[in-house]
Amino acid sequence: MEWETVIGLEIHTQLATKSKIFSGAATAYGAEPNTQACAVDLGLPGVLPVLNREVVTMAAKFGLAIGAKVAPLSVFARKNYFYPDLPKGYQISQYELPIVEHGTLEIELEDGTTKIIGVTRAHLEEDAGKSLHEDFHGMTGIDLNRAGTPLLEIVSEPDMRSAKEAVAYMKKMHSLVTYLGISDGNMQEGSFRCDANVSVRPKGQKEFGTRTELKNINSFRFVERAINFEVERQIDVLESGGKIIQETRLYDADKDETRSMRSKEEAMDYRYFPDPDLLPVAISEKQLAEVRNTLPELPDAKRQRFMADYGLSRDDAGQLTADRMTADYFETVAGKCGDAKLAANWVNTSLAGALNKDGKAISASPVSADMLGGMLLRIKDNTISGKLAKEIFEAMWQGEGDADTIIDKKGLRQITDTGAIETVLDEIIAANPQQVEQLKAGKDKLMGFFVGQVMKQTGGKANPGQVNELLKKKLGL
Amino acid sequence: MSLDSADVKKIAHLARLAVDEQDIPGYAHNLSNILALVEQMSAVSTDNVTPMAHPLDEIQRLRDDVVTENDQRDHFQQAAQQVEDGLYLVPQVIE
């Protein structure tokens, strides 16, 4: 039987505020345990939550960016469950009236086709603390620094039909929240986490199959692997006559498998009810208009502009606009060297490769956009060849200074003095009479041989185009 | 809607409440009575009434995004039964 996969994603993105959603405690990552957990975060008796204005603004920004309805009135609810990293016994979330509803996100698949994925809703909630199960004499250690960190939970429609579509959606969403500046998107630190609802059904069937929820998927690579594993598992179960149980499954990246965590608690088991400690949150048309004015240029628009203004290919523009930092970096480089295509090539290949190799984010690149732009300027004005540029880039990466410093220090200036090149060329012509004859007889391939010899003799400092011309002139070609 | 003993046990479990077996029928009876009262209320037509999220006719006040709390870990942890390396220790929970 042919099966169709149906996927919906729930993305939890930490909002980049300084203080928590309901308290004035700091949200900075990596602090000593429990030093950023105040009385409100600890759920001590008598405390009251006070909502952070910035959190509301960020959610509204997100809503506008996905063309959603931003609710003029939204309501916080208590989601009740017991776990030691949730000291109050309930998580403050939104249930019936979330702040954002009915948006869309366009994704692009590998073959270049696009697809619109529905975003059902996005609601505000507080994060829980962290449980550490390492060795505490058979006890569990609780760190409540993360408790009360603002989260925007973004729930998609079950619109995705393959793991690849799910990855494309997750990447696009990641790009969007970082563009908007509402999240740092740091997946290692848990700022952008994803749960996937996965089911399969016989192709052509209208009803959805029973779904499982995959937790703990914290990288783009894992989301694809986890979903593919789960789809295979479900098909195996169904084809051997079994039934899928609605449950939560944990993805284990080390073993590349999913395993049962708990059978799905029904929604009503959380006993949601409006939080009496918090009043409804209002956003006026005027506030919304103000937020709209602060929206930055978004990835799709930026990509279009890069194609139109810089004459870049769709792929190049897509790669450059995938995150805002890269896009800004590129624009600085292009502005400095005045050649957008050259800039795009260097950013997308040499720079991307070096960052990838050293596992660095572009914000931590040892070669700044100004430095790269400055080096490309030296290619443009013929001071250096493209080949030498690679060497200079490597030296800049190792912290040896900017391009001009390195060019001077290493004497890498391209030889533009015709006389100097001619001298070298004459020697090579004299030493290779046979090749000269063959070239004259029409074996054009040998041009490369002579240019190569000159480059070798000059340590790559000759301009290949110039060598070519001189050679032709000398041999009367 | 009325609750049977199984419902009461489930609710008690969700709320982590220990309930004596002998008290369960009594709870089932009393809770069912409460639900019956709610059912009576649901007979009222609310078609043109906006659901109320809060008895006060006010909207939420917001605070600026500023860190105002300093570290009071030592103070708070005096109330904890057991702490280690700055962590609160609780009986082991593994999902």
Side-chain angles (χ1 to χ4, degrees), chain A residues 160-435:
Chain A
M160 287 153 274
R161 295 289 173 269
S162 69
K164 287 216 182 310
E165 288 186 16
V167 175
Y169 171 84
M170 196 174 163
K171 283 188 173 164
K172 189 67 178 286
M173 199 54 94
H174 184 265
S175 163
L176 183 66
V177 297
T178 49
Y179 260 78
L180 290 170
I182 63 172
S183 175
D184 65 17
N186 190 322
M187 293 169 89
Q188 282 82 35
E189 293 177 4
S191 297
F192 192 83
R193 321 194 283 266
C194 174
D195 300 337
N197 288 305
V198 180
S199 65
V200 298
R201 62 181 170 189
K203 206 164 180 110
Q205 181 183 303
K206 262 195 139 160
E207 300 78 37
F208 293 133
T210 304
R211 67 167 195 262
T212 56
E213 184 179 7
L214 306 181
K215 290 251 181 215
N216 196 29
I217 323 180
N218 296 330
S219 81
F220 297 125
R221 194 157 49 98
F222 291 165
V223 78
E224 185 167 353
R225 280 167 50 183
I227 290 170
N228 281 333
F229 174 88
E230 182 59 15
V231 167
E232 288 302 312
R233 189 192 69 85
Q234 290 190 9
I235 292 173
D236 283 350
V237 169
L238 292 169
E239 288 191 340
S240 58
K243 268 192 170 167
I244 304 299
I245 308 161
Q246 188 174 341
E247 61 182 351
T248 302
R249 298 179 69 87
L250 196 71
Y251 177 65
D252 184 333
D254 294 331
K255 294 186 183 146
D256 190 24
E257 61 172 32
T258 66
R259 59 170 182 270
S260 184
M261 207 167 125
R262 56 167 181 251
S263 67
K264 180 80 183 168
E265 289 179 281
E266 294 301 318
M268 57 179 269
D269 276 0
Y270 288 122
R271 293 154 295 145
Y272 281 99
F273 63 89
D275 191 328
D277 287 346
L278 288 154
L279 291 153
V281 180
I283 302 177
S284 67
E285 275 301 323
K286 184 169 161 278
Q287 284 169 306
L288 216 48
E290 281 165 15
V291 173
R292 192 176 276 116
N293 283 335
T294 67
L295 282 183
E297 183 182 35
L298 296 175
D300 289 343
K302 205 182 269 287
R303 184 180 192 175
Q304 290 301 329
R305 178 168 65 82
F306 278 18
M307 288 162 66
D309 290 5
Y310 293 119
L312 300 180
S313 72
R314 194 171 164 75
D315 281 351
D316 275 347
Q319 200 183 332
L320 290 170
T321 53
D323 77 273
R324 194 172 165 179
M325 296 281 253
T326 306
D328 290 349
Y329 188 106
F330 159 76
E331 290 209 88
T332 306
V333 176
K336 180 133 188 177
C337 76
D339 186 335
K341 282 185 183 163
L342 185 68
N345 272 336
W346 275 85
V347 173
N348 280 342
T349 55
S350 300
L351 179 75
L355 289 171
N356 198 22
K357 193 166 139 249
D358 284 7
K360 281 195 161 83
I362 195 160
S363 54
S365 170
V367 177
S368 70
D370 265 339
M371 286 162 75
L372 182 56
M375 185 191 81
L376 299 187
L377 207 53
R378 293 294 162 259
I379 297 181
K380 295 291 291 176
D381 68 12
N382 282 325
T383 309
I384 54 170
S385 64
K387 190 164 167 253
L388 280 179
K390 291 211 164 68
E391 198 181 324
I392 294 164
F393 180 82
E394 185 55 36
M396 291 198 297
W397 191 265
Q398 299 305 331
E400 293 179 33
D402 65 11
D404 288 343
T405 310
I406 294 164
I407 290 168
D408 284 343
K409 200 167 72 186
K410 298 198 170 183
L412 293 177
R413 207 165 285 278
Q414 185 163 259
I415 305 165
T416 45
D417 172 12
T418 316
I421 297 175
E422 271 185 279
T423 314
V424 177
L425 198 52
D426 286 341
E427 283 168 22
I428 293 167
I429 289 171
N432 298 284
Q434 209 183 333
Q435 280 84 348

Side-chain angles (χ1 to χ4, degrees), chain B residues 18-33:
Chain B
V19 176
D20 285 338
E21 191 69 34
Q22 70 207 41
D23 294 336
I24 289 176
Y27 281 123
H29 178 74
N30 287 339
L31 289 170
S32 295
N33 281 348

Side-chain angles (χ1 to χ4, degrees), chain A residues 19 33-34 133 137 142 262, chain B residues 63 65 73 84 86 93 95:
Chain A
S19 66
N34 292 307
H133 301 295
H137 343 285
I142 305 291
R262 56 167 181 251
Chain B
R63 47 166 256 276
D65 180 28
R73 184 175 74 182
E84 189 174 314
V93 273
E95 273 191 277

